[in-house]
Amino acid sequence: MSLLAVERTVTEFTAQVVETTGILARIAVLLNPYDVRELSLSLDRGELRVVVEGDGFDAGRVAARLAKVIGVLEVSVS
């Protein structure tokens, strides 16, 4: 039996943040129903990282939702 690696499409969003209290809870609500695989916040860098799996969604729309969170300054997509 051979195991084949499954290729998955993922999109990474990185945002600079200034306010961190409760930010992860607000983001989880805003990103429903997207398939969020990673959600991390670096307090040292003031950076939020979100990884969404799949290729059937509008990345610009996700970035716009993130930009609406209080304390998010700038969102980039890769």
Side-chain angles (χ1 to χ4, degrees), residues 10-15 50 57-64 66 74-78:
V10 295
T11 304
E12 181 177 327
F13 299 84
T14 306
V50 179
F57 66 93
D58 181 353
R61 197 171 196 176
V62 173
L66 288 173
E74 177 183 326
V75 179
S76 64
V77 180
S78 59

Side-chain angles (χ1 to χ4, degrees), residues 8-14 27 31-39 49-59 61-63 66 77-78:
R8 296 183 189 166
T9 301
V10 295
T11 304
E12 181 177 327
F13 299 84
T14 306
I27 290 166
L31 295 182
N32 186 27
Y34 297 105
D35 191 5
V36 176
R37 291 302 174 159
E38 292 181 43
L39 182 59
R49 182 172 176 266
V50 179
V51 176
V52 178
E53 186 175 334
D55 56 4
F57 66 93
D58 181 353
R61 197 171 196 176
V62 173
L66 288 173
V77 180
S78 59

Side-chain angles (χ1 to χ4, degrees), residues 10-31:
V10 295
T11 304
E12 181 177 327
F13 299 84
T14 306
Q16 296 299 308
V17 296
V18 293
E19 190 276 322
T20 59
T21 305
I23 198 168
L24 294 179
R26 289 193 302 269
I27 290 166
V29 169
L30 281 175
L31 295 182

